[in-house]
Amino acid sequence: MDNINLVFEALSSTPRRKILNYLSATSLTAGEIAERFEMSKPAMSKHLKILQTANLINGEKKGQFMHYSLNRDNLVTSLHDFTANLCPVGSVLKKESKKMADDNEGS
Amino acid sequence: MDNINLVFEALSSTPRRKILNYLSATSLTAGEIAERFEMSKPAMSKHLKILQTANLINGEKKGQFMHYSLNRDNLVTSLHDFTANLCPVGSVLKKESKKMADDNEGS
DNA sequence: TAACCATTTAACTTATTAGTTAATTAACTA
DNA sequence: TAGTTAATTAACTAATAAGTTAAATGGTTA
C-alpha cells in the first residue's frame, strides 16, 4: 500500500489520532501510552504498529521498553501534499498558507 | 460525530479521495462521477453521502441531476487545524507554511 | 537459573464497512 | 398518461477492522 493510503487509514481512527496528540507533547513508551486509554495492551500495540507502518511515529527499543515518538515531518508533508493536489495553486491553499505564515510572523 | 472525525473517516477511503480529485477539476453530476469508477451507482451514492456529511463536498439538485462540487474550505481548514494541534508553533508547521508561502510568491 | 516485566503475536469474536441487486422516488419527454 | 432517465434507499452478503484473552518473545533482576 502506498504511503498516502497508509497515512489516511492510520488517521481514520480516533484513538490513533489521540495517540498522536499525546506524542506531540513528549515521547512515551508503549505502556505509558496504553495507560492513557481504556484498552488492552495488545489492542494498543496494534494501533501503534499501524501508526508506525504509516511512518507517522517512530519506535525505538531501549532495553525492554519501546519508546515511541511523533514523526512530524511525514505527517505534515503527507497532508500538505494531499491538500496541494486538490487545491489549484493561487487558490485556497495559498491563502491558508499565507495566513499561517502571517500568524507566526513574530515567533 | 464531530466534524474532524467525519473528515478523517471520509478521507480514509481511496475511492473517496479519488472522487475529491475529480471534483478538484470541475463539478460533476453523480452519474458522471460513477462513470469514472468500476462501481455501481448505489455504491457511489453512498460514498458521495459520506463526503457530503463530512462537508467535503456540496450537492445541488438541478432537475433530475445532482451536481456535486468540492468544498475546499472545509477540507483545507480541517486538515490545517488538525496539523496545527499536533505541531507546536514555530516548529515544522511554520517552516512548511513559510515554504508554501514562498513557493507561491510570484503567483 | 528462575521469576518477573514490557511488549508483541496468535487465535478468536463481534462490529463495521463496502459492495451487490432490486425497488423506490422524482423529474423529464413523447 | 406512459415510459424513460437520474439518483437514492432498502435489504442483503462478504470482507475488513477492532477489540478480547492466552501465549510467546526478549530483556531485567534476585
Side-chain angles (χ1 to χ4, degrees), chain B residues 61-106:
Chain B
K61 189 158 192 179
K62 291 183 187 171
Q64 62 191 141
F65 295 87
M66 196 65 184
H67 290 256
Y68 286 101
S69 59
L70 184 60
N71 185 349
R72 282 196 178 79
D73 284 0
N74 194 48
L75 176 68
V76 172
T77 61
S78 293
L79 293 185
H80 169 256
D81 289 354
F82 172 74
T83 312
N85 278 328
L86 288 177
C87 296
V89 175
S91 180
V92 179
L93 181 61
K94 184 183 167 190
K95 284 179 207 156
E96 191 62 40
S97 170
K98 279 200 177 299
K99 183 180 174 300
M100 285 158 60
D102 292 349
D103 288 348
N104 290 325
E105 199 102 291

Side-chain angles (χ1 to χ4, degrees), chain A residues 4-18 20-21 51 56 74-76 78-80 82-83, chain B residues 1-14 16-17 20 47 50-56 74-86:
Chain A
I4 193 68
N5 219 317
L6 291 171
V7 166
F8 278 113
E9 174 59 38
L11 292 177
S12 69
S13 142
T14 306
R16 286 196 290 267
R17 291 197 305 279
K18 202 171 164 188
L20 296 182
N21 265 297
L51 288 168
L56 293 175
N74 193 48
L75 176 68
V76 172
S78 293
L79 294 184
H80 168 257
F82 172 73
T83 312
Chain B
M1 188 148 65
D2 69 340
N3 186 257
I4 191 66
N5 220 317
L6 291 171
V7 166
F8 278 112
E9 176 58 38
L11 293 178
S12 69
S13 141
T14 307
R16 285 196 291 268
R17 290 197 306 278
L20 297 182
H47 284 304
I50 289 168
L51 287 167
Q52 191 171 21
T53 301
N55 200 26
L56 293 176
N74 194 48
L75 176 68
V76 172
T77 61
S78 293
L79 293 185
H80 169 256
D81 289 354
F82 172 74
T83 312
N85 278 328
L86 288 177

